[in-house]
């Protein structure tokens, strides 16, 4: 008998069978009965920021889900609700500019299928989110990083049109931008788009705006109203409504003709092949969206309180380099003047204090610098406990 073999995708993604050292330490501590103060959790449903359960139950209990209409692009009523949200932001769109997906991760996979063949390259920001490596690798594509521009004086990271353009090769088929970005809070501003359009590059751009609505200072996130190049935008209910379990995302096609019509047709074909978006969440969306202001205000309040705690900690800690900057998103970065690899630093803190941070290198920050990353939607009491334990460790 011929032995079967797995796809080489898994090999290209690295060693999937061995847990990294930091998670091994965490698992050993937890199995020994230790309570871990996890400051990396960004799941609002586990942090007291969930969508009101009674409202959720009421909304779904009143849905008629007995009938199913397999509409590839998504129900018209659902898309019209999303259209209304963009119109409130001053972005005029039509239902025919939208393709619904089961998540923003699935939206990425649709866009990869739309533009690429195996071996092609996708440009992603660095620092950036480690999920991209897996989404891209599972499509048999190659991830190529372009650098964000670090503003040393302000501690911010910005998009540079020139830096992105310098990373383009003949194999580049799609450019990913995240705005606000994770974990840097970088945004695609009006200034950036002006510089990009002046370059005249026609490679499609995919903007991930799942953290839109969580901006606190600096230039606002923007997407061009009438772009002269192929542009797609993805978003979803996960961050918008603190509903990561209700799987609904979308792709907004903001592209000139004939690109727009071609994208809509081909994305519709992909969506029709999978029909992954379930009917109940689509039917519920018009009732869910009006809760956005309340949900986001709660999250923003948590972020701002935790932000003040982090800034106070940084100002009182001589081992932190400068006062870290924060302008958007859910994450905060501490940079330490310590001659240790950040993974070793995180391991030591976890072992000695039972407080869990993420090392900056997991997000593409330099291995020659020592960053700790935490979630600003962490439970406020847990955050205080964690920072107090870190302060004791550093003395």
């Amino acid at each position: 008998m011929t032995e079967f073999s797995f796809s080489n995708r898994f090999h290209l993604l690295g060693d999937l069978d061995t847990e990294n050292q930091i998670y091994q330490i965490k698992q050993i501590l937890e199995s020994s009965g230790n309570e871990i103060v996890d400051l990396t959790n960004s799941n609002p449903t586990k942090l007291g920021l969930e969508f009101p359960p009674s409202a959720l139950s009421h909304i779904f209990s009143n849905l008629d889900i007995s009938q199913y209409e397999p509409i590839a692009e998504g129900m018209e009523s659902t898309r019209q609700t999303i259209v209304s949200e963009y119109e409130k932001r001053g972005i005029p769109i039509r239902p025919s500019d939208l393709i619904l997906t089961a998540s923003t991760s699935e939206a990425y996979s649709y866009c990869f299928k739309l533009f690429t063949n195996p071996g092609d390259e996708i440009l992603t920001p660095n620092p950036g989110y480690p999920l991209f490596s897996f989404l891209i690798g599972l499509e048999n594509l190659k991830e190529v990083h372009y650098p964000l521009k670090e503003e040393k004086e302000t501690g911010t990271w910005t998009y540079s049109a020139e830096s992105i353009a310098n990373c383009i090769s003949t194999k580049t088929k799609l450019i990913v931008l995240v705005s606000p970005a994770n974990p840097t809070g970088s945004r695609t501003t009006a200034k950036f788009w002006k510089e990009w359009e002046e370059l005249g590059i026609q490679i499609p751009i995919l903007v991930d705006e799942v953290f839109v609505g969580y901006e606190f200072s600096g230039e606002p996130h923007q997407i061009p109203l009438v772009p002269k190049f192929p542009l797609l935008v993805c978003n979803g209910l996960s961050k918008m409504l603190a509903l990561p379990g209700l799987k609904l995302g979308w792709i907004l096609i903001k592209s000139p003709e004939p690109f727009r019509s071609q994208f809509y047709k081909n994305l519709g074909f992909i969506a029709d092949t999978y029909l992954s978006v379930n009917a109940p969440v689509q039917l519920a969306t018009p009732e869910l969206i009006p809760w956005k202001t309340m949900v986001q205000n709660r999250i923003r309040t948590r972020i701002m309180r935790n932000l003040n705690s982090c800034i106070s900690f940084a100002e009182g800690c001589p081992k932190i380099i400068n006062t870290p900057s924060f302008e958007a998103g859910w994450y905060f970065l501490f940079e330490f003047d310590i001659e240790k690899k950040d993974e070793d630093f995180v391991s030591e803190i976890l072992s000695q204090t039972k407080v869990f941070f993420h090392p900056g290198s997991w997000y593409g920050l330099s291995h020659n610098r020592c960053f700790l990353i935490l979630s600003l939607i962490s439970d406020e009491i847990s955050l205080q406990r964690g920072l107090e334990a870190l302060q004791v460790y550093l003395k």
Side-chain angles (χ1 to χ4, degrees):
M1 293 181 63
T2 303
E3 293 186 2
F4 73 90
S5 61
F6 289 109
S7 165
N8 63 4
R9 292 175 177 87
F10 297 101
H11 173 71
L12 295 173
L13 292 172
D15 184 2
L16 303 180
D17 296 321
T18 304
E19 197 73 85
N20 69 60
Q21 182 183 6
I22 294 173
Y23 277 105
Q24 287 179 10
I25 294 171
K26 184 171 180 285
Q27 289 175 350
I28 290 170
L29 289 170
E30 288 174 331
S31 63
S32 300
N34 292 281
E35 179 187 359
I36 304 298
V37 180
D38 187 351
L39 298 186
T40 71
N41 194 340
S42 60
N43 179 353
T45 70
K46 299 295 184 181
L47 298 167
L49 295 170
E50 69 275 7
F51 192 98
S54 58
L56 200 60
S57 298
H58 175 76
I59 290 170
F60 277 91
S61 67
N62 286 282
L63 298 180
D64 178 9
I65 58 174
S66 60
Q67 303 297 315
Y68 171 57
E69 294 290 338
I71 303 170
E73 299 80 9
M75 293 181 181
E76 181 83 10
S77 59
T78 308
R79 287 186 287 156
Q80 186 57 58
T81 298
I82 297 168
V83 166
S84 298
E85 285 303 301
Y86 278 97
E87 289 176 341
K88 291 175 186 176
R89 292 167 52 189
I91 303 171
I93 65 170
R94 301 163 291 179
S96 59
D97 294 328
L98 290 165
I99 301 288
L100 302 189
T101 64
S103 65
T104 51
S105 293
E106 185 175 70
Y108 277 105
S109 74
Y110 282 16
C111 294
F112 295 161
K113 290 176 174 63
L114 180 64
F115 296 117
T116 68
N117 295 309
D120 285 338
E121 296 177 354
I122 307 290
L123 295 190
T124 64
N126 190 59
Y129 195 57
L131 178 63
F132 291 143
S133 297
F134 297 99
L135 293 174
I136 292 169
L138 287 172
E139 298 287 342
N140 265 341
L141 303 171
K142 181 181 178 182
E143 180 180 27
V144 175
H145 296 303
Y146 61 84
L148 295 178
K149 182 179 179 181
E150 184 179 9
E151 305 289 348
K152 293 284 188 179
E153 292 184 0
T154 61
T156 58
W157 301 77
T158 60
Y159 285 104
S160 163
E162 182 181 4
S163 295
I164 296 173
N166 288 339
C167 294
I168 292 173
S169 77
T170 56
K171 291 188 175 182
T172 304
K173 303 301 181 184
L174 183 67
I175 301 168
V176 174
L177 298 97
V178 185
S179 178
N182 174 11
T184 58
S186 312
R187 272 96 63 220
T188 53
T189 63
K191 178 177 180 289
F192 167 79
W193 289 121
K194 181 176 182 296
E195 292 173 351
W196 184 258
E197 290 214 328
E198 288 174 352
L199 294 175
I201 296 171
Q202 291 296 300
I203 295 172
I205 284 183
L206 174 60
V207 175
D208 179 338
E209 61 167 14
V210 296
F211 284 106
V212 72
Y214 302 103
E215 302 160 71
F216 304 94
S217 62
E219 294 186 62
H221 156 83
Q222 288 194 16
I223 56 175
L225 296 182
V226 188
K228 299 176 183 178
F229 55 89
L231 174 65
L232 302 172
V233 181
C234 65
N235 202 338
L237 299 187
S238 176
K239 308 298 187 299
M240 177 186 290
L241 295 176
L243 285 171
L246 286 187
K247 310 303 289 184
L248 183 69
W250 56 83
I251 302 168
L252 166 61
I253 305 169
K254 285 291 290 180
S255 303
E257 294 291 1
F259 297 135
R260 194 206 71 84
S261 298
Q262 294 170 343
F263 292 176
Y264 185 74
K265 176 183 176 182
N266 289 342
L267 285 169
F269 178 83
I270 296 170
D272 192 39
T273 302
Y274 293 100
L275 289 175
S276 58
V277 186
N278 69 71
V281 71
Q282 293 186 71
L283 290 168
T285 296
E287 300 298 322
L288 294 169
I289 291 289
W291 290 84
K292 184 181 79 169
T293 300
M294 185 277 289
V295 169
Q296 292 191 342
N297 282 343
R298 289 176 65 206
I299 294 174
R300 283 194 288 261
T301 298
R302 170 78 62 85
I303 289 171
M304 294 311 295
R305 288 175 177 169
N306 284 339
L307 175 62
N308 289 332
S309 296
C310 289
I311 291 175
S312 295
F313 176 83
E315 290 175 343
C317 180
K319 293 184 180 180
I320 289 180
I321 301 174
N322 302 319
T323 299
S325 176
F326 170 82
E327 294 185 346
W330 288 11
Y331 295 83
F332 195 82
L333 287 73
F334 290 119
E335 183 176 7
F336 289 82
D337 185 14
I338 293 176
E339 292 186 3
K340 289 181 181 178
K341 291 183 177 180
D342 58 356
E343 290 188 329
D344 294 337
F345 190 40
V346 167
S347 296
E348 287 183 17
I349 294 169
L350 179 59
S351 298
Q352 296 183 31
T353 70
K354 314 301 185 291
V355 180
F356 182 41
F357 296 91
H358 277 165
S361 58
W362 288 5
Y363 296 81
L365 289 154
S366 173
H367 286 274
N368 296 322
R369 299 167 68 179
C370 192
F371 283 94
L372 297 185
I373 296 178
L374 59 80
S375 165
L376 280 174
I377 67 166
S378 298
D379 172 78
E380 292 171 56
I381 295 175
S382 297
L383 182 76
Q384 287 289 350
R385 285 176 56 201
L387 292 179
E388 288 170 3
L390 179 60
Q391 188 174 41
V392 172
Y393 164 82
L394 291 169
K395 287 182 177 178

